[in-house]
Amino acid sequence: MRLKAEDVFRPGSFPEYTYVSRKSTASGLPYELRLQQAIKVSGFLTSLVGPSKMGKTILCEKVIGFENIVEISGADFDETTDFWKLVSAKVGLSYEGQFASEKILPDSGDKYSKREIFALTKDKIINYYKEKGLVLVIDDFHYAPEAKRMQVAQQLKDAIRKGLKAVVVSLPHRADEAIRQNSDLSGRLSLINISPWAEEDLKEIAKIGFDKLGIEIEEDVAAQIAMESLSSPQLMQYICLNICILLEISKAEKNIVKQEILEQAYRFTTVNFEYGDVVAFMRKGPSTRGKSRNRFLTRDGSECDIYELIVKSIAENPPIMRLEFEDVKNRIYSLIPDEHERPKPQMIKDSLGKLQELLNGREDIFKVLDWKEEVLYILDPLFLFYLRWGGNEK
Ligand SMILES: Nc1ncnc2c1ncn2[C@@H]1O[C@H](COP(=O)(O)OP(=O)(O)OP(=O)(O)O)[C@@H](O)[C@H]1O
Ligand SMILES: [Mg+2]
């Protein structure tokens, strides 16, 4: 049977036909091997940390397999969630319950029934996991409330000593302290850091996938898509799928990916991304309490204030997720032709600080930037991609 594009390129689920194995930058070993090794060390907890959309969940699924993986999410927890109740419910064990027993009393012959409440012990649950060869993966640990993360870490400490195999997956910086900086767990951790994808590895996804579909793609076209994918395999899968959809409806040649189709595919890819509010919020910046902000005349003839300039500068070529202050400044300066009319470096720095503060006060989807130690990190590749290709914000 001929494969369909949506089976080959899968931005939202396990990519059976386009799975690419990468080597860890630190050890030079494939990530799959690192994770396999980590899980095998009994009495150790595995902490898998990496930026958003870099394939953390897929790696766990690949290595542990769907038969053996038990996935729970940090989002499954609120302040009152009982860890063991959740861990047992996920494998269909009832943690607490009642059973009725009936006895006939020997003397009188009367029937006597009683209801008893039982609760599974932790040990029973752990044993169940061990017997079935199950591995507990606590994914997106950063979604669990902060206080809960510490409690879960404590439960895990005890459980791994008793032989439970567990992997905790989280984003860097935000939520790994409960695990990585927890002195109770020190000496009992296997640490795996997932790095952003190199363009070479991203290119592989396109090459393997289009080959499976009998579609031709040249090296440099694949390389351009890889660059726009901003080190995210998810974006790569998404763009490739959209290229296929465009090819299907196009009247031109269907069996080759040409340069001309790329821009249309990028724009088409942003359609389902919901960053419009984030971008509008950033461009607006903090309230000026009625005062008007300085405006700068840009090379395209529009007048922008400092916050609009910052947003524009992030979207400039080449797409980069980590910008030194000098880069941001140079990008802003190159937007403003008149060199006497450019904002002072301090003003740019202050505005970046304020912007970061504003975004931090908002919901998770707004946490797209990190400005620290004179470096601007774009945390979410999908956001940067949207900024470059989405809506009319450019
Ligand atoms: N090894 C891989 N080979 C090919 N594609 C991959 C690979 N890993 C991930 N992907 C693609 O990227 C998508 C996102 O991967 P995944 O959900 O594992 O990321 P994540 O790091 O867990 O993201 P999040 O931080 O949002 O939880 C997958 O659905 C898949 O399309
Ligand atoms: Mg994930």
Side-chain angles (χ1 to χ4, degrees), residues 119-296:
L120 277 182
T121 59
K122 286 181 203 175
D123 290 355
K124 285 224 170 85
I125 302 169
I126 294 171
N127 276 339
Y128 183 87
Y129 272 71
K130 277 162 62 176
E131 276 162 23
K132 304 264 172 191
L134 302 176
V135 180
L136 178 68
V137 174
I138 308 183
D139 207 349
D140 297 326
F141 192 49
H142 45 276
Y143 287 141
E146 204 173 338
K148 198 74 206 174
R149 297 204 286 261
M150 285 310 287
Q151 284 175 21
V152 171
Q154 257 148 17
Q155 294 299 330
L156 284 172
K157 180 196 169 194
D158 186 43
I160 51 172
R161 224 185 0 231
K162 291 180 173 148
L164 180 78
K165 295 202 174 292
V167 181
V168 177
V169 182
S170 67
L171 292 177
H173 313 308
R174 294 215 215 146
D176 54 344
E177 318 91 55
I179 303 292
R180 293 199 173 188
Q181 274 148 43
N182 184 335
S183 57
D184 284 350
L185 286 168
S186 73
R188 296 193 154 270
L189 286 178
S190 299
L191 306 178
I192 302 177
N193 296 318
I194 303 283
S195 51
W197 281 55
E199 284 174 21
E200 274 309 302
D201 294 324
L202 289 171
K203 249 166 71 181
E204 269 319 281
I205 295 178
K207 280 165 51 183
I208 300 174
F210 284 117
D211 186 55
K212 290 242 156 68
L213 292 165
I215 297 173
E216 224 178 285
I217 181 162
E218 278 180 13
E219 264 319 291
D220 73 317
V221 176
Q224 283 180 51
I225 309 171
M227 184 179 74
E228 282 306 331
S229 298
L230 297 166
S231 64
S232 162
Q234 185 179 44
L235 258 178
M236 189 72 191
Q237 297 267 1
Y238 219 148
I239 299 169
C240 290
L241 177 59
N242 281 317
I243 289 175
C244 295
I245 297 171
L246 290 176
L247 284 177
E248 272 164 32
I249 57 167
S250 102
K251 294 192 181 67
E253 254 183 297
K254 294 188 189 312
N255 294 331
I256 178 158
V257 184
K258 293 208 176 124
Q259 161 81 38
E260 296 87 83
I261 203 173
L262 297 187
E263 203 163 301
Q264 194 188 357
Y266 299 150
R267 295 194 186 284
F268 190 40
T269 303
T270 65
V271 170
N272 292 316
F273 295 176
E274 294 281 348
Y275 294 100
D277 291 348
V278 181
V279 177
F281 183 73
M282 287 174 64
R283 286 162 53 95
K284 196 157 159 255
S287 154
T288 55
R289 299 197 189 85
K291 277 192 264 165
S292 64
R293 238 178 237 134
N294 238 350
R295 301 191 75 78
F296 304 89

Side-chain angles (χ1 to χ4, degrees), residues 21-36:
S21 169
R22 298 190 297 148
K23 292 206 168 78
S24 143
T25 23
S27 64
L29 297 170
Y31 280 115
E32 292 80 9
L33 191 62
R34 287 276 292 115
L35 184 56
Q36 231 161 32

Side-chain angles (χ1 to χ4, degrees), residues 13-73:
S13 56
F14 191 84
E16 201 184 326
Y17 298 101
T18 44
Y19 184 90
V20 169
S21 169
R22 298 190 297 148
K23 292 206 168 78
S24 143
T25 23
S27 64
L29 297 170
Y31 280 115
E32 292 80 9
L33 191 62
R34 287 276 292 115
L35 184 56
Q36 231 161 32
Q37 175 203 39
I39 291 169
K40 281 210 192 312
V41 186
S42 77
F44 271 53
L45 176 68
T46 305
S47 162
L48 188 75
V49 166
S52 187
K53 317 283 182 315
M54 292 297 158
K56 302 182 293 296
T57 302
I58 296 295
L59 177 67
C60 292
E61 290 173 350
K62 173 80 176 174
V63 169
I64 300 164
F66 286 100
E67 294 276 283
N68 298 91
I69 193 167
V70 181
E71 295 179 85
I72 61 178
S73 161

